[in-house]
Structures are given as C-alpha cells and as structure tokens.
Amino acid sequence: AQTVTQSQPEMSVQEAETVTLSCTYDTSESDYYLFWYKQPPSRQMILVIRQEAYKQQNATENRFSVNFQKAAKSFSLKISDSQLGDAAMYFCAYRNIMEYGNKLVFGAGTILRVKS
Amino acid sequence: GAVVSQHPSWVICKSGTSVKIECRSLDFQATTMFWYRQFPKQSLMLMATSNEGSKATYEQGVEKDKFLINHASLTLSTLTVTSAHPEDSSFYICSAPRGGRETQYFGPGTRLLVL
C-alpha cells in the first residue's frame, strides 16, 4: 500500500520569507499524481499544486513550487514571499492513477504559521 | 467558485438519532465521491467511496451499517450517520473528482456534534 510521510508537524516562517515543506512517499507504481492541499482555519480543503509523475518539470503556481524527485520519492513544497494568508495546515497527497476509485492517500499534515 | 457543496455545514443532534449529510457536485457529474472524517489537527481519514448505481466501498474498520452511503444521482451522494453517539462527533468532508484523471475537489465540510 502507498504511504505518504510529512515529517514536519509544524513550521514557522516570517512574512515575505521562503519556507519549504517536506513530503516523502512510498509506491511501487511508475505513474501517479501528487498534490499539495491547503486547509485554512475554515477547514475548506484547497488545491495548491499538482504534479504528474511522468513530467520531469517541477510544477509551479505563482508563489508555490515543488521539488519533485521521483527516484528519491520526495515531493517538497516551496512557498516564496510568504503571506499571512498562507497560514494553514498543508497536506501532501498521493493518487495512484490505476487504482479503483482513484482515492487519495494523505500525509499527516504540516501546520504552517506565518509571523508578521 | 465552489464546485462541491455540502449540507448542512453544522449539525447538533441528540444521541441515538440519525443525521444525513448531503454532498453535491456543482456543474459536473461525479460517478464516484469520497467521504472523509477528520479530527482536529489531524489528517483526513477516508471512510468510504461512494459509487453511483452501486454499493459504496468502505475502508477497513468503518461500520457500513452505521455510516450509510447512498449515491442517488450523478451529482448527489449522502452520508447518514445512524444512531449517532458522542464519539461520532467529528468533521465530515466529501470530495469528488472532476473529469477522468483530474483533481479531486472538496466540499466545505460538515461539523457534527452529538450530545
């Protein structure tokens, strides 16, 4: 079974600084998707960024970018120019394309605090 | 705007009663939807996969007779917590994949408090 590990329960960053959230995963599949979701205090899950495993190029979305290392099974999220609104719980998630139902496997989450 | 809605957003009920939570996909059809449970500051725990036109697939350890799931149409799935007890109090979230391999979108969640 696939697993997703987020080793940082909490992280802090100063406003306008850069922070990197770590995520590693375990799978024997070669084709899959990886995601970062943000859950602010409202608890609405919001998609931050998505990466297809077959793409070597790292995904970017404005201030958010990933460092996808397929061989190392690592998928870190970098947030540049951190803003107060970035404060939230961040979840790394894996999805096996071929598995029935295409369900997501989530990591334990990382709470990100942004200091002003 | 929101692509998945949930209703109600908050519900308080007495122990022993049943509570129904609706999950709707807005402007797209979803043959599959997912139901999660989340405790404070913890990750989402998948409870079951809701399948339109067939039985739901429950994760190991989830009581199917307690958490009844019905995928009534291509845009609606319901989760009924039967004979609710205080330990069922939690945050319940649904999600639906939009398009074949595309991303799952989440509803805003339902807070359930059983007294």
Side-chain angles (χ1 to χ4, degrees):
Chain A
Q2 293 86 8
T3 58
V4 177
T5 301
Q6 292 179 250
S7 59
Q8 305 155 317
E10 292 191 24
M11 291 283 285
S12 292
V13 63
Q14 198 70 32
E15 198 175 4
E17 297 293 308
T18 297
V19 65
T20 298
L21 307 184
S22 301
C23 173
T24 58
Y25 58 94
D26 186 29
T27 183
S28 58
E29 302 295 329
S30 60
D31 199 11
Y32 47 86
Y33 287 108
L34 295 165
F35 305 86
W36 279 98
Y37 281 92
K38 169 185 176 181
Q39 188 179 42
S42 68
R43 302 188 81 173
Q44 168 73 62
M45 293 285 284
I46 301 166
L47 174 68
V48 175
I49 203 164
R50 179 181 78 174
Q51 175 80 43
E52 290 89 346
Y54 63 87
K55 290 186 177 179
Q56 291 186 328
Q57 186 175 8
N58 289 325
T60 62
E61 196 71 42
N62 299 316
R63 297 183 295 107
F64 299 88
S65 61
V66 298
N67 183 4
F68 174 48
Q69 301 290 329
K70 191 172 183 180
K73 298 180 182 176
S74 171
F75 183 61
S76 61
L77 174 70
K78 185 172 81 171
I79 306 174
S80 303
D81 185 24
S82 296
Q83 300 175 0
L84 294 177
D86 294 334
M89 192 154 187
Y90 286 81
F91 293 99
C92 178
Y94 166 99
R95 200 188 90 192
N96 181 355
I97 290 174
M98 297 306 295
E99 183 172 329
Y100 172 76
N102 290 329
K103 55 189 178 183
L104 288 169
V105 178
F106 284 96
T110 297
I111 296 173
L112 178 66
R113 305 187 193 282
V114 181
K115 302 175 183 177
S116 59
Chain B
V3 295
V4 176
S5 68
Q6 270 186 252
H7 178 80
S9 57
W10 174 266
V11 58
I12 301 174
C13 70
K14 293 182 179 180
S15 186
T17 62
S18 293
V19 175
K20 180 185 285 188
I21 302 170
E22 293 186 347
C23 177
R24 293 182 184 274
S25 57
L26 308 176
D27 78 1
F28 71 100
Q29 295 181 335
T31 56
T32 301
M33 292 184 178
F34 301 91
W35 286 97
Y36 298 86
R37 183 174 181 176
Q38 186 183 32
F39 292 104
K41 295 189 177 182
Q42 293 189 23
S43 189
L44 281 70
M45 181 191 77
L46 179 66
M47 299 175 64
T49 302
S50 176
N51 306 298
E52 192 272 334
S54 64
K55 292 182 179 180
T57 305
Y58 289 83
E59 296 299 303
Q60 192 171 8
V62 177
E63 299 178 60
K64 58 182 66 176
D65 293 331
K66 181 164 189 61
F67 299 100
L68 299 179
I69 291 173
N70 181 30
H71 203 127
S73 73
L74 288 172
T75 60
L76 173 64
S77 174
T78 60
L79 168 67
T80 301
V81 183
T82 63
S83 186
H85 291 285
E87 57 265 30
D88 298 324
S89 298
S90 191
F91 189 65
Y92 293 88
I93 310 174
C94 71
S95 73
R98 186 174 185 176
R101 291 184 169 188
E102 292 185 23
T103 307
Q104 284 189 33
Y105 291 89
F106 288 81
T110 297
R111 289 174 173 79
L112 170 63
L113 178 60
V114 184
L115 301 176

